[in-house]
């Protein structure tokens, strides 16, 4: 793109933006780097917000980089300052503080925001979402107060919060509109195992019902009314019904965006306009072996940060990676790679009841995705299989007597 860019402006001080800025310096870029962040905090890790919010010991490791890093690396952090306008012709970003920042390259890393619950009463106090550090702090207080919790949405974030709250002894009900948990992002067998796992630990899992209203008193949530006319007691409600990309800036600037949301990029993080790159949750990006899509994960944001660095430095883009993701629920460390799209068959290795297993999903022997719980070696082998595209013998995969190395390099 522009090897001699003198100033790079990063919009968004989250995982993607923070990772990008650090890697850009590491790659030897010497010009100005300015990072705008709407939040008051420097870049931090979001995965612990739904997994470790109740554990103060985890706070020490929350930052993506130590505070001194930004000064040392001459990265100007402008926090609590949002970009409100992007002029890709004049190459200027305007902020809500009335500043105009000229740029040679701008990197949009604005992430996503929680999709709101659309129901009467959703505005009540104690109806919470989990995206930011302040959201997680609020959640910590509510859990410490020993509330009765309802989680709306049986996706990863909702289930992680439910697991933490349940582990702390709170009564928890998960309400999911679809007929099963994790309908968009996990296979039916994994969803079944997880529903049982949560159920055995005392979480009530209600699928196939919708929230009709949040009912409350004195401005605070008290219970949910569901579409089957039942009620769920809840003096704290956590909404985890997905996220929407923060693509307004890009849209207004005329960047090509997907109909369902997200700035469209190529595998070098380039948008439809010269001088404008985009990375992380805000993008709709190409992926190995499938249609472009939005991927909300740390590995994806990191991969795209590397792509943007390569583009700015005039280096070839890094080799594409198999997308992957993780989640911690109770004692289960889940790892998932690849994208599930029917039709596929599934081969199980290990024993879900023993808490360690790997589901390899394949289409006529070609691996499409792997889902594992407490089975890291299987996960690594499965990822290698996915990357290689090698055919897999499902029977051999399911046979614990067959060593992994024979499967991964067959
Ligand atoms: C609770 C939770 C748990 C998660 N767990 C996992 C996990 O286990 N594994 C995994 O792989 N991924 C997980 N993710 C997803 C992962 O955190 C995201 O994919 C990743 O944070 C995306 O990085 P990003 O920089 O694109 O967006 P973000 O990290 O959201 O950063 C975007 C930043 O841009 C700021 N911003 C937006 N608009 C503007 C503007 N106009 N001007 C200035 N700043 C702006 C926002 O305030 C935000 O700080 C989780 C996400 C959440 C919310």
């Amino acid at each position: 793109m522009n090897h001699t860019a003198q100033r790079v402006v990063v919009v968004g001080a989250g995982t993607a933006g923070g990772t990008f800025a650090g890697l850009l310096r590491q790659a030897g870029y010497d010009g100005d780097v300015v990072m705008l962040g709407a939040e008051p905090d420097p870049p931090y890790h979001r995965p612990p917000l739904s997994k470790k919010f109740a554990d103060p010991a985890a706070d020490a490791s929350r930052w993506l980089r130590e505070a001194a890093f930004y000064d040392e690396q001459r990265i100007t952090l402008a926090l609590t300052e949002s970009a409100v306008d992007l002029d890709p012709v004049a190459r200027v970003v305007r902020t809500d503080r009335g500043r105009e920042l000229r740029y040679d390259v701008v990197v949009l890393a604005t992430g996503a925001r929680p999709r709101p619950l659309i129901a009467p009463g959703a505005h009540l106090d104690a109806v919470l979402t989990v995206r930011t550090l302040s959201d997680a702090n609020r959640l910590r207080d509510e859990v410490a107060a020993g509330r009765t919790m309802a989680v709306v949405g049986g996706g990863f974030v909702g289930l992680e919060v439910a697991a933490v709250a349940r582990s702390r002894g709170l009564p928890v009900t998960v309400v999911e509109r679809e007929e099963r948990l994790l309908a968009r992002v996990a296979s039916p067998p994994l969803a079944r195992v997880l529903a049982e796992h949560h159920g055995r630990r005392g979480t009530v899992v209600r699928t196939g019902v919708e929230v009709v209203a949040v009912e409350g008193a004195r401005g605070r949530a008290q219970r949910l009314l569901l579409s089957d006319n039942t009620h769920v007691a809840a003096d704290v409600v956590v909404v985890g019904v997905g996220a929407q990309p923060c693509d307004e800036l890009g849209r207004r600037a005329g960047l090509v965006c997907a109909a369902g949301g997200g700035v469209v990029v190529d595998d070098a993080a380039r948008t439809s306009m010269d001088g404008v790159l985009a990375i992380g949750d805000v993008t709709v990006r190409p992926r190995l072996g499938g249609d472009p899509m939005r991927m909300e994960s740390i590995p994806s944001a990191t991969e795209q940060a590397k792509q943007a660095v390569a583009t700015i430095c005039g280096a070839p883009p890094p080799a594409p990676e198999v997308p992957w993701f993780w989640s911690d629920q109770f004692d289960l460390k889940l790892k998932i790679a690849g994208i599930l799209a029917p039709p596929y068959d599934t081969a199980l290795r290990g024993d879900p009841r023993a808490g360690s297993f790997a589901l390899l999903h394949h289409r006529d022997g070609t691996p499409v995705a792997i889902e594992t719980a407490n089975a890291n070696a299987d996960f690594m082998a499965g990822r290698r299989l996915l990357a290689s595209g090698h055919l897999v013998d499902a029977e051999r995969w399911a046979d614990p007597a067959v060593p992994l190395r024979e499967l991964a390099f067959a």
Side-chain angles (χ1 to χ4, degrees), residues 97-335:
R97 298 220 183 149
R99 287 207 296 159
E100 291 203 345
L101 297 173
R102 190 201 54 76
Y103 67 79
D104 297 290
V105 177
V106 65
V107 180
L108 297 183
T110 47
R113 62 173 66 89
R115 186 173 290 135
L117 174 67
I118 309 290
H123 64 281
L124 287 171
D125 197 20
V127 179
L128 313 175
T129 51
V130 197
R131 182 85 201 179
T132 64
L133 207 47
S134 75
D135 294 340
N137 289 339
R138 171 78 196 269
L139 198 53
R140 176 182 291 182
D141 292 345
E142 299 291 352
V143 167
R147 308 282 185 198
T148 297
M149 179 183 284
V151 174
V152 184
F156 282 115
V157 168
L159 290 176
E160 289 168 359
V161 171
V164 172
R166 191 66 211 117
S167 304
R168 303 265 153 173
L170 271 65
V172 179
T173 304
V174 175
V175 178
E176 167 57 54
R177 181 175 56 185
E178 303 295 328
E179 292 302 323
R180 66 175 179 90
L181 299 177
L182 296 162
R184 279 183 314 116
V185 286
S187 70
L190 180 64
R192 251 190 324 271
V193 172
L194 290 179
E196 283 167 18
H197 205 75
H198 282 259
R200 268 198 304 275
R201 280 153 187 78
T203 304
V204 178
V205 178
R206 302 276 314 269
T207 55
V209 273
E210 262 186 86
V211 175
V212 173
V214 183
E215 298 175 343
R218 292 177 297 282
R220 196 181 159 110
Q222 276 193 327
R223 60 181 194 166
L224 300 180
L225 170 63
L226 303 185
S227 50
D228 62 356
N229 254 321
T230 58
H231 283 95
V232 170
D235 49 14
V236 58
V237 178
V238 179
V239 178
V241 294
Q244 299 166 324
C246 300
D247 62 4
E248 303 79 14
L249 204 60
R251 264 179 205 279
R252 281 201 307 273
L255 300 182
V256 171
C257 291
V263 176
V264 175
V265 293
D266 66 10
D267 61 11
R270 289 178 298 219
T271 68
S272 56
M273 286 192 182
D274 198 32
V276 186
L277 304 179
I279 56 179
D281 284 11
V282 73
T283 66
V284 169
R285 51 161 300 183
R287 67 177 168 98
L288 272 180
D291 294 334
M293 64 183 289
R294 246 168 36 73
M295 277 188 235
E296 294 172 22
S297 78
I298 301 291
S300 173
T302 306
E303 184 186 14
Q304 288 184 297
K306 291 179 195 161
Q307 293 172 354
V309 169
T311 298
I312 291 172
C313 297
E321 292 171 16
V322 174
W324 73 277
F325 185 82
W326 76 92
S327 175
D328 300 338
Q329 293 172 35
F330 297 109
D331 53 340
L332 294 183
K333 294 221 168 293
L334 302 161
K335 288 191 177 177

